[in-house]
Amino acid sequence: MMALANVEPLPTPNEDPEIFVPPPKIITTPCDPWPRPYYLEDGLRKVHPYHFTYNTYCKQRWRGREILDIFATEFRDRPQEYYKDAIECGRVVINGQKVSSIREIVKNGDVISHTLHRHEPPVTAQTIGIVHEDNDMIVINKPAGVPVHPAGRYNYNSIVEIMRAERGHGWNPLPCNRLDRLTSGVMFVGKHAKAAERLTNQIMARTVKKEYVARVIGDFSEDDVICDQPVMQISPKLGLNRARASGKDAKTIFKKLAYYPPTAASNGAELRETGNRSEKERLRDSQMEWKAKEGYSIVRCLPLTGRTHQIRVHLQFLGHPISNDPIYCNQRVFGPSLAAGDALSDDDEDIISRLSKMGKSEAAEAMAYHDEMMEEYNKRKAEKMTGELCAVCDTPLYSDPGPQELGIYLHARRYACQDGNWDYQTPLPVWALPPAGMDGPVDTTTETDPMALVDEIGELKVDQSKFNHHDTAKYTQQPKPLWVMPG
């Protein structure tokens, strides 16, 4: 006969039950106006102000920081007082919920939403040129001054949205390469995902040759020049990069196409000859190293790597910055030398401070290019705060940008497939043509073609000793470059 015994229940692990955490709430834009609220005025494409909500996941560098500190340091189009009021009034929320304090800590996975009355800057009214179009791809000639994607203060005034407005609300343009906002030239826009992925992979694999044209101050070297200074991002907020030994590897080949002395007219503004300057002006100019570089050159540029602002930074380092570059050819920011040959200085904080003032209290202009007699005019025409406020949202208003802010003298002229299957190019831009009364090339020449230096670009080896090679501020006289291919 079996006896029955009481059995104690087994102890359960001391663990909290798993709780389902729903994804963060996303605030949606109050409206999606169609047709887009464009209007054309004074040669500019403008957008009527509208309400819009930005949504962004917490970036790694934001983790553990206060919400107001993030807005005050990462965004520069509005003053800190605006962001403080927006947080307190609930126009800035985290995960769909109003925060209890401007000192709220942002955590990994948080979604920050910011609803505002959006004022977009104007862009050029120039149409987007079509270089080639087939069933898979559109090759465009991007106008200078128009960003590719919606970003920062730009949304509808972007290549993606302008093309969508032209071709229909449901059309989804897929850019395959990116050009800086201020740069013009060849861009590829996929009509469907497979075509876009195919070309993007080609570019990422470095099997696509790219050639740019730039207009720079001074008489550029007659020799082929290679610059391999590493490039480092100094300020993500301002988009500032500099030549720094601790930066990312970067390499660009340069070949001069033409040089035009200072007696030529530039954009209708007559450049004064040295003999017409006063004694005071001569003394001033003697303290400005870039003033010794008279006239300008048209230079063909072949980037072998794709760092942000690579060509602009390398030309600045070589002492021949792009002549209307509002950042890298700005004496108020970089001083009399314009940072030529500078890869070691520790003045980054000073540079950032001076650059952050550009476009707010003073005009963002390239001081090395604009003559003093044009300065006051350009200040009036350049985009800066007017002192007026929006009647709807009290946002400080900007004036319209001046012509010098709609683009810089840098143009992506040609993209070519390494295996020869395709090659797309544009004519030289107007600013690269000979000025009135002067002779010069109206198209590129075989002798100045940087692509002719290489048959393949993917696994290139360079005999550096044969180049006019730049890791210092001054030119070194070397023979013409010799390219050594593997095998």
Side-chain angles (χ1 to χ4, degrees):
M1 185 175 183
M2 296 182 62
L4 298 177
N6 291 329
V7 178
E8 296 290 335
L10 294 173
T12 57
N14 187 19
E15 295 180 357
D16 295 330
E18 185 174 333
I19 300 174
F20 171 73
V21 179
K25 294 181 179 179
I26 302 293
I27 308 298
T28 58
T29 295
C31 63
D32 182 20
W34 189 266
R36 297 303 192 213
Y38 296 121
Y39 65 103
L40 303 181
E41 182 179 76
D42 299 329
L44 299 172
R45 178 188 293 270
K46 298 185 176 182
V47 179
H48 290 289
Y50 57 96
H51 285 91
F52 184 84
T53 299
Y54 292 90
N55 291 295
T56 180
Y57 276 93
C58 171
K59 300 181 185 297
Q60 185 174 3
R61 66 178 181 271
W62 297 355
R63 297 175 189 174
R65 292 172 57 188
E66 296 176 0
I67 182 68
L68 179 59
D69 175 58
I70 292 172
F71 274 91
T73 57
E74 297 278 341
F75 306 100
R76 67 186 296 248
D77 61 323
R78 305 203 181 202
Q80 181 171 327
E81 292 73 19
Y82 167 84
Y83 293 119
K84 180 176 181 294
D85 182 68
I87 294 168
E88 293 174 340
C89 294
R91 296 194 300 275
V92 172
V93 299
I94 298 178
N95 301 331
Q97 301 296 319
K98 182 178 177 181
V99 299
S100 58
S101 166
I102 59 174
R103 303 177 67 88
E104 182 87 8
I105 299 298
V106 175
K107 303 180 295 298
N108 185 29
D110 283 345
V111 174
I112 303 171
S113 303
H114 179 202
T115 300
L116 76 165
H117 192 232
R118 188 164 186 170
H119 296 256
E120 290 197 41
V123 298
T124 178
Q126 179 184 343
T127 58
I128 299 173
I130 305 297
V131 177
H132 169 82
E133 182 171 359
D134 55 35
N135 293 331
D136 298 321
M137 189 73 60
I138 308 173
V139 184
I140 67 169
N141 189 359
K142 171 190 170 301
V146 186
V148 176
H149 298 279
R153 295 167 62 202
Y154 298 87
N155 181 29
Y156 296 136
N157 265 347
S158 62
I159 293 295
V160 165
E161 290 298 333
I162 292 172
M163 294 188 72
R164 195 194 314 277
E166 293 173 347
R167 296 183 177 239
H169 188 276
W171 190 68
N172 185 32
L174 301 170
C176 305
N177 64 314
R178 187 185 69 84
L179 296 179
D180 291 339
R181 177 176 64 86
L182 297 175
T183 305
S184 59
V186 173
M187 266 197 62
F188 298 86
V189 179
K191 289 185 172 182
H192 54 84
K194 286 186 177 180
E197 181 181 11
R198 185 164 56 246
L199 184 58
T200 300
N201 289 340
Q202 277 188 277
I203 295 173
M204 295 295 290
R206 297 187 181 180
T207 60
V208 175
K209 305 176 186 179
K210 299 175 284 186
E211 182 207 328
Y212 291 71
V213 176
R215 175 167 153 175
V216 305
I217 63 172
D219 188 2
F220 199 81
S221 172
E222 293 290 342
D223 292 334
D224 305 325
V225 175
I226 186 169
C227 182
D228 60 359
Q229 276 294 319
V231 174
M232 172 181 284
Q233 185 178 65
I234 302 300
S235 171
K237 178 180 177 180
L238 299 178
L240 175 65
N241 298 268
R242 298 192 72 180
R244 285 290 179 266
S246 56
K248 295 181 178 179
D249 291 342
K251 188 174 295 184
T252 315
I253 299 171
F254 299 99
K255 291 176 71 74
K256 183 168 73 174
L257 176 64
Y259 168 69
Y260 300 105
T263 52
S266 175
N267 284 349
E270 197 73 26
L271 299 178
R272 292 173 293 172
E273 297 186 48
T274 304
N276 295 333
R277 291 179 181 148
S278 67
E279 191 63 32
K280 178 182 177 181
E281 289 172 327
R282 293 182 187 183
L283 177 62
R284 176 206 65 191
D285 293 351
S286 68
Q287 299 170 344
M288 303 178 188
E289 297 175 30
W290 54 265
K291 280 286 186 178
K293 299 182 174 72
E294 296 185 332
Y296 65 87
S297 300
I298 306 301
V299 178
R300 301 176 72 176
C301 319
L302 180 69
L304 302 185
T305 52
R307 307 304 178 199
T308 302
H309 293 183
Q310 174 177 316
I311 293 174
R312 297 164 67 182
V313 171
H314 278 174
L315 285 169
Q316 181 195 46
F317 179 83
L318 295 176
H320 295 278
I322 294 171
S323 57
N324 67 343
D325 193 322
I327 297 179
Y328 302 104
C329 193
N330 194 323
Q331 180 181 298
R332 290 182 179 171
V333 174
F334 287 99
S337 71
L338 296 175
D342 179 8
L344 301 174
S345 63
D346 57 357
D347 59 351
D348 290 342
E349 291 302 321
D350 292 337
I351 297 295
I352 291 171
S353 176
R354 291 194 289 268
L355 182 60
S356 66
K357 297 177 182 177
M358 297 290 105
K360 291 187 176 181
S361 60
E362 44 187 309
E365 56 184 303
M367 292 302 297
Y369 172 72
H370 293 288
D371 230 353
E372 271 195 352
M373 69 179 184
M374 298 295 293
E375 182 173 350
E376 290 304 316
Y377 171 79
N378 282 331
K379 278 186 176 180
R380 291 194 298 270
K381 293 296 291 181
E383 184 191 8
K384 59 180 180 177
M385 289 182 180
T386 63
E388 300 176 356
L389 301 177
C390 173
V392 174
C393 63
D394 288 334
T395 297
L397 299 179
Y398 285 81
S399 62
D400 286 344
Q404 74 277 12
E405 291 189 289
L406 290 178
I408 60 174
Y409 296 145
L410 181 63
H411 178 80
R413 195 193 74 85
R414 180 184 177 192
Y415 272 61
C417 179
Q418 174 178 294
D419 56 20
N421 287 337
W422 51 262
D423 187 338
Y424 300 111
Q425 52 189 292
T426 71
L428 287 176
V430 172
W431 48 257
L433 298 176
M438 296 195 71
D439 294 327
V442 296
D443 200 352
T444 54
T445 61
T446 304
E447 295 77 15
T448 62
D449 185 1
M451 289 192 186
L453 294 174
V454 292
D455 294 321
E456 295 183 4
I457 203 168
E459 297 181 1
L460 182 66
K461 292 184 179 179
V462 183
D463 184 349
Q464 304 280 7
S465 66
K466 302 299 183 182
F467 266 102
N468 185 346
H469 181 84
H470 292 271
D471 55 5
T472 63
K474 298 183 180 295
Y475 282 171
T476 56
Q477 299 302 318
Q478 299 285 351
K480 289 288 184 178
L482 172 67
W483 293 89
V484 181
M485 301 305 297

